[in-house]
Amino acid sequence: MKNQGYLMVIPTLFFAGLLLVTVIWNVWLSFLNSSILVHKPKFVGLATYQYLFSQYFFKISTTHTIVFTIGLVAIGNVLGLLFAGLLYFIPNNVQRSLYLSVFIYPLAIASSTSALIWEWLLNPTIGVDWLLKLLHLPAPYWLGTSNMTLVSMIMIEVWAYTGLATLFYLASFMNVDKTVVEAARLDKAGGLKILFRILIPNSMNGFIISTALLFLFSFRIFTIPFVLGGSATSPTLMTYVMYVYNLFISEYFSASAAMAVIVTIIAAAVILPFAIFGLMKWVFKR
Amino acid sequence: MGNKNNLYKPENYYVRVIKYAILQIIAAILIILWLMPLYALFVGALKSNIAAASTPALLPPSKPSGEAYYFVWHGFGGIYGLIGLEYPLIREILIDVPIAALATLLGAMGAYFFYMIMDRHYIWSTIGFAIISLATYLPVETTTVPLIQIVTSLHLYNTYYGVIIAYLMFYIPMAALLMSIFMPSIPKYLLEAAKIDGASDWRVFWKVMMPLLVPGFLSTFIFTFLQIWDNFFIPILLISNPQEMLLSVAVRQYAGGYAIIYNRSFAAGVVGSIVPLVIFIFLGRYFIRGLAALGGGAKGV
């Protein structure tokens, strides 16, 4: 038998199909009123969504998700660009890849570990505040107020995911024609001028990739707020994905499914164009 | 080009040296900032309880102590209700290595199929690519209710089989996506030639594709392994029995609370991330290549 390719694709299709089944299952569940309070769930149409939109947690989780996502995409992109610019001008290859690894290592270690470290580092007496006070700098009360908690969370996300943006911007910069950069150098253009006039304008794809990935990584962040907040019930750290889990553990199954549908729609709106018009085109040169 | 000589004028040279020094200093400050949490982790974990209770986290211990490691390794469940990390660590390794290998292999086969039909069935391979991308990037939490219903209806709640099914659901498609991105580096005519010579797909995959794709395969394996290691949501959703805890969930017990000062939290953090860290230090380039593959292998940039 020559076409064993069809057999070889079965596991991938089966498990990817199982995932699609869960997505469709969510849509179906979200039209019911299934919860711990209901003995025999029945079809209620969009009532679950109406219930969800009226919830306080839905409103704050919307705010937090927007704040975290915009915060990370904006800061991560800007820092990623600057870090990549910095690394680009480091002439030593070994040093450059070493530094790049340092920016990326937070992505490799377990996020439960990151959460443990930051929980203590943001402690008002023994963490970074101790160092800031020693240096006579303002020492904010990081996880003390709800606004500072958001700031802290964005800071942790920036620490964790800026390496991603740096990686893709550095790859774009490395792809810019070397002769153009050399010509600019001979015309006595400074490093900053080369960065802003030549490298950055030629890094559109790096921008698309890092924006899409920063958005998706921020959108799905779960472990760190979960550990920092003690569980998925903390109102100050509630995000969309946390709220899906929160509704599930409080046994509002249909509401949880409806929330999952909302998350899926938002994520898919970024993933599908990125995959089909970005990844596929670049990789397969179609 | 008359001003070329100016490059080597003395003041120009000094300006360049100073600029270079500023560049290196800024880079060094950023590196220190980025490494600070890791430094705190290893330094804090080596403190005794008394030292941890009386000194800030960023100061190194005057005398290193293994007290905190001893505590988190054995857990003292009887006294504090905390599960030690010894067995969760062993379980995590025993589950993650084979599952990552299986997911990578099965995903590679799927990617091989999509790559082969690419030219003839463009629509189907686009749909396949869209589905595996969706599975790769979709937040795991979206599957909460259906997943638990599937797993409980199969009587797999609180078993590792349920966890494994959930992992395969996310990581086979992810491996297929990464392998699809590594695969075009192999010229298609090699595969077509082998097929014209009468080799079956199975033989082409093992004898032509895999030997050429070892680095890509290794990148996918390591990336998948670290993703599974990092996964916190699936174990916390599907396993409630403390005696069966996986590592990421067990580590979370040490986040704070009764009898926990930061030395114990940090020791738990070291145990939770020592395997990923060692892999990152020795095989980091494979991980970075896997990460780059998430963005199209940085081919589009």
Side-chain angles (χ1 to χ4, degrees):
Chain A
M1 184 175 154
K2 258 181 89 181
N3 267 328
Q4 286 153 337
Y6 290 101
L7 287 177
M8 288 160 73
V9 78
I10 285 174
T12 307
L13 284 187
F14 176 79
F15 284 102
L18 194 61
L19 188 84
L20 283 188
V21 167
T22 67
V23 169
I24 294 161
W25 195 325
N26 267 329
V27 176
W28 166 242
L29 262 173
S30 73
F31 291 133
L32 304 179
N33 63 348
S34 168
S35 79
I36 188 74
L37 305 169
V38 181
H39 182 57
K40 281 218 165 68
K42 60 177 198 295
F43 190 84
V44 292
L46 293 170
T48 309
Y49 289 91
Q50 277 173 348
Y51 163 81
L52 204 57
F53 295 149
S54 69
Q55 291 298 300
Y56 171 68
F57 268 16
F58 180 80
K59 284 166 200 154
I60 54 167
S61 63
T62 307
T63 317
H64 294 165
T65 306
I66 291 173
V67 168
F68 290 162
T69 308
I70 291 182
L72 179 68
V73 169
I75 301 174
N77 261 320
V78 171
L79 285 186
L81 258 180
L82 295 178
F83 289 6
L86 204 63
L87 295 180
Y88 183 83
F89 289 111
I90 288 178
N92 183 335
N93 279 331
V94 177
Q95 199 189 12
R96 187 194 296 135
S97 60
L98 197 68
Y99 281 13
L100 181 65
S101 308
V102 171
F103 291 134
I104 286 175
Y105 89 90
L107 281 156
I109 65 174
S111 27
S112 48
T113 301
S114 310
L116 287 187
I117 306 174
W118 281 102
E119 186 177 29
W120 286 106
L121 282 184
L122 298 180
N123 179 298
T125 51
I126 60 144
V128 285
D129 278 358
W130 167 81
L131 190 66
L132 293 173
K133 275 178 203 152
L134 208 67
L135 300 170
H136 298 288
L137 293 168
Y141 194 36
W142 294 104
L143 297 167
T145 65
S146 51
N147 281 341
M148 276 315 288
T149 307
L150 300 185
V151 173
S152 310
M153 196 55 221
I154 291 175
M155 191 177 75
I156 299 172
E157 282 192 282
V158 165
W159 171 79
Y161 298 133
T162 296
L164 200 68
T166 310
L167 174 67
F168 289 109
Y169 280 120
L170 187 61
S172 324
F173 292 174
M174 291 298 193
N175 241 12
V176 173
D177 198 345
K178 290 276 180 300
T179 54
V180 179
V181 178
E182 283 309 314
R185 244 189 246 267
L186 285 179
D187 288 343
K188 297 214 277 182
L192 285 178
K193 208 165 195 178
I194 293 176
L195 178 63
F196 285 103
R197 293 288 172 79
I198 298 171
L199 296 178
I200 294 179
N202 283 305
S203 305
M204 194 55 196
N205 281 342
F207 173 74
I208 294 173
I209 295 173
S210 56
T211 303
L213 292 184
L214 287 175
F215 173 84
L216 292 167
F217 273 77
S218 170
F219 196 56
R220 73 201 289 182
I221 193 161
F222 180 85
T223 316
I224 295 176
F226 188 98
V227 175
L228 283 182
S231 72
T233 51
S234 159
T236 46
L237 286 167
M238 189 63 68
T239 63
Y240 274 2
V241 288
M242 301 278 285
Y243 194 35
V244 173
Y245 184 70
N246 177 288
L247 284 165
F248 163 72
I249 51 173
S250 45
E251 311 203 20
Y252 286 98
F253 302 120
S254 280
S256 175
M259 198 61 227
V261 170
I262 294 171
V263 170
T264 308
I265 290 171
I266 297 172
V270 174
I271 296 166
L272 293 179
F274 174 65
I276 294 168
F277 302 112
L279 291 186
M280 247 188 118
K281 223 173 66 189
W282 299 323
V283 175
F284 300 104
K285 302 265 188 301
R286 309 277 311 200
Chain B
M1 282 300 173
N3 55 9
K4 197 181 174 187
N5 292 332
N6 292 352
L7 281 174
Y8 302 102
K9 271 188 176 177
E11 72 270 3
N12 213 327
Y13 173 76
Y14 289 127
V15 169
R16 285 173 60 155
V17 166
I18 290 169
K19 276 186 178 169
Y20 183 68
I22 292 173
L23 183 83
Q24 287 287 1
I25 290 168
I26 296 175
I29 292 171
L30 290 171
I31 293 304
I32 290 170
L33 275 179
W34 246 252
L35 284 175
M36 190 185 64
L38 198 64
Y39 160 81
L41 178 73
F42 278 96
V43 159
L46 280 175
K47 285 185 184 174
S48 63
N49 290 334
I50 297 166
S54 56
T55 56
L58 292 170
L59 277 184
S62 51
K63 205 170 109 232
S65 148
E67 218 170 272
Y69 286 106
Y70 188 80
F71 185 88
V72 300
W73 190 255
H74 297 291
F76 296 92
I79 308 169
Y80 301 114
L82 295 170
I83 305 293
L85 297 180
E86 182 184 1
Y87 293 108
L89 178 70
I90 294 169
R91 280 178 213 132
E92 189 77 39
I93 292 172
L94 287 181
I95 290 180
D96 290 5
V97 175
I99 295 306
L102 186 68
T104 309
L105 186 61
L106 295 178
M109 289 178 181
Y112 169 81
F113 175 78
F114 287 128
Y115 187 46
M116 292 305 275
I117 67 161
M118 192 93 211
D119 297 328
R120 278 168 292 139
H121 305 280
Y122 184 61
I123 301 293
W124 287 112
S125 62
T126 306
I127 292 174
F129 197 79
I131 294 174
I132 59 177
S133 309
L134 201 62
T136 305
Y137 298 113
L138 201 64
V140 190
E141 293 77 14
T142 55
T143 54
T144 306
V145 182
L147 189 61
I148 201 118
Q149 290 185 343
I150 291 171
V151 167
T152 44
S153 66
L154 296 171
H155 303 289
L156 295 176
Y157 185 71
N158 259 336
T159 67
Y160 298 122
Y161 297 110
V163 174
I164 287 169
I165 289 175
Y167 281 163
L168 291 178
M169 191 167 98
F170 282 100
Y171 297 116
I172 289 181
M174 190 185 85
L177 181 77
L178 297 185
M179 289 305 281
S180 302
I181 283 161
F182 290 123
M183 234 165 241
S185 65
I186 294 176
K188 212 165 190 178
Y189 64 82
L190 276 180
L191 309 177
E192 300 290 1
K195 285 202 79 168
I196 287 166
D197 288 345
S200 62
D201 277 316
W202 185 251
R203 273 184 74 84
V204 176
F205 178 78
W206 282 107
K207 301 285 172 182
V208 185
M209 187 68 123
M210 288 304 266
L212 291 170
L213 213 59
V214 169
F217 190 83
L218 204 55
S219 296
T220 308
F221 170 71
I222 285 174
F223 192 79
T224 311
F225 175 79
L226 292 181
Q227 288 294 301
I228 296 178
W229 192 282
D230 185 46
N231 202 313
F232 174 82
F233 183 74
I234 300 287
I236 209 169
L237 182 69
L238 297 180
I239 289 182
S240 63
N241 180 0
Q243 298 305 326
E244 296 173 25
M245 264 188 201
L246 287 173
L247 190 63
S248 50
V249 179
V251 160
R252 181 211 156 217
Q253 302 173 98
Y254 296 90
Y258 186 62
I260 302 293
I261 324 170
Y262 66 81
N263 61 338
R264 287 172 177 172
S265 290
F266 286 176
V270 171
V271 176
S273 282
I274 192 71
V275 173
L277 266 176
V278 169
I279 289 177
F280 187 73
I281 289 167
F282 290 103
L283 299 166
R285 64 205 159 99
Y286 291 105
F287 174 78
I288 292 176
R289 211 179 292 157
L291 199 63
L294 280 185
K299 279 180 181 137
V301 297

